[in-house]
Amino acid sequence: MQIYADNAATTKMSQTAIDAMLPYMQSIYGNPSSLHSIGQEAAEALMQARETVARCLGCEAKEIYFTSGGSEADNQAIMTAAINGAKKDKKHIVSTAFEHHAVLHTLKKLEKQGYEITLLDVGEKGLVTPRQVSEAIRPDTCLVTIMYANNEIGSIQPIAEIGQVCKEKGVVFHTDAVQAVGHIKIDVKEQNIDMLSLAGHKFHGPKGVGAMYCRKGIVISNIIEGGAQERGKRGGTENIPAIMGMAAALSEACENLEANSARIAKMRDKLIAGLTKIPHSILNGDEKMRLAGNVNMCFEGIEGESLLLMLDMHGICASSGSACTSGSLDPSHVLLAIGRPHEIAHGSLRLSLSEYNTEEEVEVIIEKVSEVVEYLRNMSPVWRDLKEGRRNHVI
Ligand SMILES: *Cc1c(COP(=O)(O)O)cnc(C)c1O
């Protein structure tokens, strides 16, 4: 039996999304820029997909720009605000220490180009306060970029309040909402969001497709130069099948959002209750302001990688943090940002659930994780030192 609990890395495509894609590979394969009927049919579909995405976010269709995914949307939104800022001699950006690398690495690049970056402290629970944002904004601030929900520890930021602060101070506000869209109800106008990034594959749509919402009035800079696609702001023939799949998946996710998240949160809470019974373990992230599907734990005295490999042998697909950092030996920058010491951050486990998981699977996960943690601890010299008092417990 295979239990998939790595939905923050990517999700299984829904049948609705697959069904929505097929016609655009099999028969309506025209280029939406072509004038003949098969092209125009594709153009019509593209327009409808844009409207669907806009409806789910509470914006206008012309404020949606399709991209190759969340990373491209993050890059484009940040570069747009940075370039617009430089025109007014504003080269200061406020963000947080635990953003996705698509944001952090773009900010690093801008820093080398003479921008000043303030990374806010996210505290022990992984939460930023509107007050911190307010205090960090300066007369030369051109952008605040703060993720909606963290991909590793699941903490959800007070986005509407942060948006309000930015609006009052006249600073552009971008949020990387890749983990939130399709999972949390979003209204960009009500929440004062100027720019937002999303990715199809985090809500049961296809990979390699995403979107940037950009409030009208903001002059957008291109990342990909090319033809007149996406109102001239993103060159390249549109990936119609993927866009159709994403729109269908998003529509489905938004329709079932409340029922799904209630059921997923119930499984999450059961998982947390079961796993925190393991001695010398700790939950990462806030208990309440948390994505419905996210569980992130640290277990003292074990290596996260060994835990993952052994869980995989039991058919459980999990993660030690973000998919992007696994494979490197550095502990997660997110866990370090919330103040976990290196030796604890190394023993982390992220389980991310979706509506395709079941209560029975959750029971199996609890049982197997408990077994494997005990097994690994019995082999660990660090654990022996802890047990025999040569080393002090941190958690
Ligand atoms: C997955 C993810 C991204 C990257 O999206 P891609 O579509 O893989 O480029 C960016 N930010 C967050 C928070 C994510 O979870």
Side-chain angles (χ1 to χ4, degrees):
M1 188 178 62
Q2 188 92 346
I3 298 177
Y4 188 75
D6 199 13
N7 289 280
T10 197
T11 56
K12 175 183 170 164
M13 275 183 65
S14 76
Q15 194 56 46
T16 310
I18 296 171
D19 291 344
M21 293 175 79
L22 287 176
Y24 298 92
M25 295 188 250
Q26 291 167 328
S27 48
I28 316 167
Y29 46 78
N31 186 324
S33 300
S34 297
L35 293 178
H36 48 66
S37 54
I38 197 171
Q40 285 311 295
E41 258 189 89
E44 176 66 28
L46 181 62
M47 203 180 78
Q48 278 172 13
R50 205 183 300 284
E51 274 167 11
T52 302
V53 174
R55 183 165 35 78
C56 293
L57 297 178
C59 66
E60 293 176 35
K62 64 179 179 208
E63 295 174 308
I64 297 295
Y65 299 82
F66 291 118
T67 65
S68 67
S71 299
E72 187 187 322
D74 281 341
N75 273 257
Q76 189 165 14
I78 293 168
M79 292 310 290
T80 286
I83 290 166
N84 289 338
K87 288 180 199 149
K88 298 186 208 147
D89 242 5
K90 294 182 170 191
K91 297 179 78 174
H92 174 243
I93 298 173
V94 176
S95 188
T96 75
F98 77 161
E99 296 296 311
H100 190 274
H101 284 135
V103 168
L104 284 181
H105 291 171
T106 306
L107 295 178
K108 263 264 161 333
K109 181 170 83 176
L110 286 168
E111 197 170 34
K112 288 198 190 110
Q113 295 173 9
Y115 287 78
E116 239 186 285
I117 315 293
T118 300
L119 295 183
L120 299 175
D121 188 1
V122 296
E124 212 191 327
K125 299 286 184 181
L127 294 174
V128 179
T129 64
R131 187 186 174 138
Q132 276 177 288
V133 177
S134 174
E135 285 171 358
I137 291 174
R138 317 191 307 210
D140 62 340
T141 305
C142 61
L143 170 69
V144 169
T145 172
I146 293 176
M147 70 198 318
Y148 204 123
N150 184 271
N151 48 305
E152 291 191 34
I153 59 172
S155 54
I156 300 170
Q157 306 306 323
I159 289 298
E161 291 79 3
I162 293 172
Q164 184 63 32
V165 165
C166 294
K167 189 178 179 183
E168 279 162 15
K169 303 222 175 202
V171 177
V172 168
F173 176 44
H174 165 253
T175 185
D176 173 344
V178 175
Q179 290 289 333
V181 171
H183 303 282
I184 299 173
K185 188 152 173 31
I186 294 178
D187 187 310
V188 290
K189 303 291 172 195
E190 268 175 26
Q191 294 174 296
N192 303 304
I193 299 167
D194 295 310
M195 294 196 276
L196 173 148
S197 312
L198 65 91
H201 71 111
K202 303 287 173 77
F203 47 78
H204 306 289
K207 296 168 184 54
V209 65
M212 170 179 75
Y213 148 75
C214 186
R215 176 175 58 74
K216 60 180 183 239
I218 296 176
V219 179
I220 298 177
S221 294
N222 287 46
I223 298 286
I224 314 275
E225 299 293 348
Q229 294 93 351
E230 300 302 304
R231 302 161 65 84
K233 300 306 177 192
R234 204 276 181 183
T237 303
E238 300 86 345
N239 187 349
I240 301 287
I243 290 170
M244 298 313 286
M246 174 168 75
L250 183 56
S251 179
E252 190 179 33
C254 291
E255 240 165 69
N256 302 315
L257 197 146
E258 274 166 37
N260 279 343
S261 48
R263 198 174 77 77
I264 299 168
K266 201 164 152 248
M267 292 192 283
R268 172 200 66 192
D269 292 341
K270 180 172 179 163
L271 195 47
I272 292 175
L275 294 181
T276 46
K277 287 209 184 94
I278 297 174
H280 302 287
S281 67
I282 192 165
L283 178 71
N284 297 311
D286 194 69
E287 289 82 0
K288 292 203 171 62
M289 296 296 285
R290 181 176 204 98
L291 283 172
N294 178 284
V295 177
N296 189 311
M297 304 271 309
C298 283
F299 302 103
E300 197 173 25
I302 62 163
E303 285 288 338
E305 319 297 280
S306 325
L307 179 56
L308 284 188
L309 291 177
M310 290 207 59
L311 288 178
D312 188 46
M313 289 194 283
H314 287 100
I316 298 170
C317 306
S319 161
S320 61
S322 75
C324 322
T325 40
S326 50
S328 77
L329 279 176
D330 295 335
S332 140
H333 71 286
V334 174
L335 296 180
L336 297 181
I338 60 166
R340 297 282 181 248
H342 271 73
E343 69 267 32
I344 298 297
H346 270 299
S348 67
L349 175 69
R350 180 187 71 186
L351 296 154
S352 41
L353 307 172
S354 84
E355 61 269 38
Y356 298 146
N357 290 110
T358 63
E359 296 266 344
E360 291 71 44
E361 288 181 339
V362 167
E363 281 156 23
V364 175
I365 296 174
I366 294 170
E367 184 192 317
K368 292 299 172 194
V369 172
S370 309
E371 258 174 51
V372 171
V373 167
E374 191 179 335
Y375 175 85
L376 288 172
R377 280 177 173 171
N378 285 337
M379 298 196 319
S380 154
V382 172
W383 187 251
R384 190 171 322 123
D385 284 353
L386 285 164
K387 232 173 62 180
E388 293 169 8
R390 282 185 299 278
R391 204 190 254 259
N392 291 326
H393 285 290
V394 184
I395 52 174

